[in-house]
Amino acid sequence: MDLQTLTYLVVGATFALYIGIALWSRAGSTHEFYVAGGGIHPVANGMATAADWMSAASFISMAGLIAYMGYGGSVFLMGWTGGFVLLAMFLAPYLRKFGKFTVPEFIGERYYSRTARIVAVICLIVCSVTYVIGQMKGVGVAFSRFLEVDYDIGLYVGMGIVFVYAVLGGMKGITYTQIAQYCVLIFAFTIPAIFISLNLTGNPLPQLGL
C-alpha cells in the first residue's frame, strides 16, 4: 500500500469517526445543543478544552510565530494559554451557574445592562472571527497537504466536516469530537517528544532528559 492510499484511509477514518460521533451524540434539545446537556464529566470536559487549545492555532500559528520571531514569539503563546485559564476560572463557572447559553446573555443579566450585552456581542464576534480565520487557515493547509489537493478544496472539505458534526451534535457532538481529537493530539505530541529525548539523552521521558 502506497503512502497516498494510506493517507486517504487515515483521513477518511477520521472523518467517519467525527460524523459517527455526531450521529451518536446528536442534540435532542436546546440545552444539549448549547451546553451538551450539562452532563459532561469534568475530566472529559478538560480533555475537550485541551484539544481546543492544541488546535491549528497552536500547532501552526503559535509554532510559526516562535519559529519566525524567536524567543519573543513565546509571549503570544503565554497570552493564548492564559486566556483559556482566565476563561475557565472567571467566566465559565458563572455562565453555568446563571443557566445562560451564551456569554452576552450572561453579561447582560449579570450587569443589568443592554449596553454591556452589546459590548460582549462585539467582543465575541471579534474574538471568534479572529480565531476561526486562524483555524480555517490551518484546516486548509493541513488538508491540502495530506490530500494533495488545492488549498481551497482542502478548506471546503474541512469546513464541510465541521459543519456536519456541529449542526448534528451541537456542543454535545463537538465536545465528544474534541475528546477524540485530544487522544490523537496527545499521541502525536508524546511520541516525537519521547523519541527526540531518546535520541538526545538516551532517556524515554523528556523530563528525565533535563
Side-chain angles (χ1 to χ4, degrees):
M1 183 183 296
D2 64 343
L3 180 61
Q4 188 61 27
T5 304
L6 184 61
T7 300
Y8 280 126
L9 287 175
V10 171
V11 174
T14 305
F15 289 168
L17 174 65
Y18 284 1
I19 294 173
I21 290 173
L23 291 171
W24 167 72
S25 60
R26 59 184 178 275
S29 66
T30 305
H31 195 233
E32 285 187 347
F33 189 87
Y34 280 108
V35 293
I40 304 295
H41 192 276
V43 173
N45 232 338
M47 292 169 69
T49 304
D52 203 30
W53 184 92
M54 296 185 294
S55 56
S58 298
F59 256 133
I60 299 175
S61 303
M62 294 299 162
L65 273 174
I66 294 172
Y68 180 72
M69 299 177 65
Y71 182 76
S74 62
V75 174
F76 293 95
L77 183 60
M78 293 300 102
W80 168 247
T81 307
F84 270 80
V85 175
L86 291 174
L87 181 65
M89 290 179 62
F90 297 119
L91 190 58
Y94 301 101
L95 192 67
R96 181 187 179 99
K97 181 181 176 181
F98 266 71
K100 299 300 179 182
F101 292 137
T102 65
V103 173
E105 276 185 319
F106 163 66
I107 296 294
E109 290 287 330
R110 173 66 179 80
Y111 295 102
Y112 311 104
S113 170
R114 183 176 178 84
T115 303
R117 186 170 183 162
I118 293 171
V119 170
V121 169
I122 294 171
C123 291
L124 194 63
I125 289 173
V126 171
C127 292
S128 298
V129 168
T130 305
Y131 178 75
V132 169
I133 287 172
Q135 293 292 76
M136 289 299 104
K137 179 67 175 179
V139 167
V141 169
F143 283 126
S144 62
R145 179 68 60 87
F146 285 130
L147 301 177
E148 293 191 357
V149 295
D150 291 337
Y151 170 82
D152 291 343
I153 296 175
L155 177 61
Y156 292 139
V157 169
M159 287 174 62
I161 297 299
V162 172
F163 177 80
V164 169
Y165 72 71
V167 170
L168 283 176
M171 187 53 69
K172 188 177 179 182
I174 291 171
T175 300
Y176 284 113
T177 301
Q178 292 284 72
I179 291 170
Q181 182 177 318
Y182 170 85
C183 296
V184 173
L185 289 173
I186 282 294
F187 183 80
F189 271 127
T190 305
I191 296 303
I194 288 175
F195 277 96
I196 289 171
S197 182
L198 278 171
N199 227 5
L200 296 177
T201 67
N203 295 316
L205 294 176
Q207 291 83 354
L208 294 177
L210 292 175

